[in-house]
Amino acid sequence: RVYLIFRRLRIANPNTKKKTIQDWHLFILILIFLAVDIGYLVIITALPSTRLSRIIVEVEHEDGRVPSLVGKCVSSNRDIWLGILIGYKCIELLCGLFLAFETRNVKIEELNESKFIGFCIYTIIVTVIALIPVGVFVSDQTIWYAITGLAVMAVIIVILSLIFIPK
């Protein structure tokens, strides 16, 4: 909304028709992004190449080594679908960077969140880059889930703090 309003002011064409941006326009845009994500999940789940693989792993326990059944979702086309997901999410981040860049000169302080949005995107990118070696080099799934979960929670706390605490 801020981008559309201030883009019109920058163009300052007297023939430009004024158009109000309703809240439902923004909700439709969010629903489109959500529908793409849900469609991706439905497609990748419905594919016949996706299956559940069960592995028996021995876990250390106070009584000794105890066998544990671990389930893992595997797919023969995992790399292709992961590439599609990463590409789509990168496009979303680039759109966010574009909007933050275009609205950086807004004089109204309450509407100028471009610095915070840019820092949020920077935090996401740095965390993802830092987690790539963890996914490659850590073989224990429990440690990998713990590190990834803590990183995701830290990123969420930073993002929510940057967006809501200044207000």
Side-chain angles (χ1 to χ4, degrees), residues 68-133:
S68 177
L69 186 64
V70 177
K72 185 176 182 181
C73 186
V74 294
S75 174
S76 59
N77 300 326
R78 178 182 157 261
D79 295 337
I80 294 170
W81 287 103
L82 192 59
I84 291 170
L85 178 66
I86 290 171
Y88 172 67
K89 294 300 176 182
C90 286
I91 290 171
E92 283 183 343
L93 287 174
L94 287 174
C95 288
L97 276 176
F98 171 75
L99 292 175
F101 179 76
E102 287 292 317
T103 59
R104 73 190 183 283
N105 294 325
V106 173
K107 302 293 185 224
I108 303 170
E109 192 63 34
E110 290 81 17
L111 299 178
N112 191 352
E113 297 178 338
S114 61
K115 293 175 190 147
F116 299 120
I117 292 171
F119 190 70
C120 290
I121 293 171
Y122 173 77
T123 305
I124 292 169
I125 292 171
V126 167
T127 306
V128 168
I129 290 172
L131 284 177
I132 290 172

Side-chain angles (χ1 to χ4, degrees), residues 48-72:
S49 64
T50 305
R51 65 187 188 289
L52 179 64
S53 173
R54 293 189 174 105
I55 304 166
I56 296 177
V57 178
E58 291 194 11
V59 179
E60 290 291 331
H61 197 265
E62 64 242 11
D63 298 334
R65 297 178 76 82
V66 177
S68 177
L69 186 64
V70 177
K72 185 176 182 181

Side-chain angles (χ1 to χ4, degrees), residues 1 19-27:
R1 180 179 288 179
K19 180 179 172 185
T20 59
I21 301 144
Q22 302 292 329
D23 288 340
W24 65 270
H25 288 114
L26 301 174
F27 288 130

Side-chain angles (χ1 to χ4, degrees), residues 35-47:
V36 171
D37 286 339
I38 291 172
Y40 172 84
L41 291 173
V42 166
I43 290 171
I44 197 168
T45 305
L47 287 176

